Each structure stands twice: as C-alpha cells, then as structure tokens.
Amino acid sequence: MKKPNRLMTFLLSLIGQSWAYDTVDEVQEAIGKNAFENYERRVTTHHKGAAGITDSLGFQPGLVALHDELNDTWHYLMALHQRARGLGHLDLADSMKRAAESTVDVMTAVDQAAEQTVPAPEVPLTR
C-alpha cells in the first residue's frame, strides 16, 4: 500500500496516528524516494551555504548546530532502542542501538571539526 497524500497524513496526525508501510520493499522505496526527490535541493542549499564561509570561524555555527541535532538523534534512537527492547523486538532494538552508536561516532567527528574552527593562537617568537 502506498503512503497517503499530505492531507490524509495530516488528518491521521490529528487523531494521533501515522502511516506505516506493509513491506520491506515499500520502506526501501520510501527511503529512496525521500533521498532522491530532495537530492538537488539539499545539494544546492548546502553548497550555497558553504560558499559563504570565508574563514575557519564561519564553519563553527553550522557544526555546533549539527552536533546538537546529532545529540537529539542519539537520544531519539536510544528511546526507540529501549522501547523496542521493552516490546520484545530484540533485532530491531539491536539495530537501533547500532544506529545510536554510529551517531556517537559522527557526533565525535563533528565535535572535533568544530574545535578545529578556532584559529590557533599566535605564539610569539622568543630566543
């Protein structure tokens, strides 16, 4: 079954429900469709934003915001992990935990990149 249009999705949300796919193929199709339909817009948006950066400090606001989004993603994945475990969906819980652990790796790399935006202090030459 295909995902309903935006109006139906909105109406379902008003009564506290959401849409779920019935097959792995439908899930993969939805993920692929989202990625490819938004590809050009995302490329354009992020390249345009990056083009405005003129020094290392210019990277910092985006990296700090990204780190915060990743931190939120980690918390979301851990909540899903715990809920899946509680419901007895152990394979799903393991997948969520692996996703959360991967998010920590990305968050750490973004943290390091953000720290590298701070210019190194100039050290006076001494004899």
Side-chain angles (χ1 to χ4, degrees), residues 18-44:
S18 60
W19 185 258
Y21 298 100
D22 297 323
T23 68
V24 171
D25 288 342
E26 288 176 344
V27 171
Q28 291 172 344
E29 180 183 336
I31 289 171
K33 183 177 179 184
N34 287 340
F36 289 112
E37 283 185 356
N38 295 303
Y39 178 82
E40 284 297 324
R41 179 187 55 79
R42 288 177 177 156
V43 168
T44 302

Side-chain angles (χ1 to χ4, degrees), residues 1-6 8-9 19-21 26 30 33-34:
M1 181 178 252
K2 299 293 181 207
K3 183 176 179 178
N5 63 34
R6 288 182 186 196
M8 183 56 84
T9 301
W19 185 258
Y21 298 100
E26 288 176 344
K33 183 177 179 184
N34 287 340

Side-chain angles (χ1 to χ4, degrees), residues 37-57:
E37 283 185 356
N38 295 303
Y39 178 82
E40 284 297 324
R41 179 187 55 79
R42 288 177 177 156
V43 168
T44 302
T45 298
H46 295 303
H47 280 265
K48 184 185 272 187
I53 296 172
T54 58
D55 60 21
S56 67
L57 290 174

Side-chain angles (χ1 to χ4, degrees), residues 5 11 25 33 36 44 80-81 86 89 109 111 117 126:
N5 63 34
L11 293 174
D25 288 342
K33 183 177 179 184
F36 289 112
T44 302
L80 293 176
H81 159 73
H89 302 293
D111 178 22
T117 65
T126 58

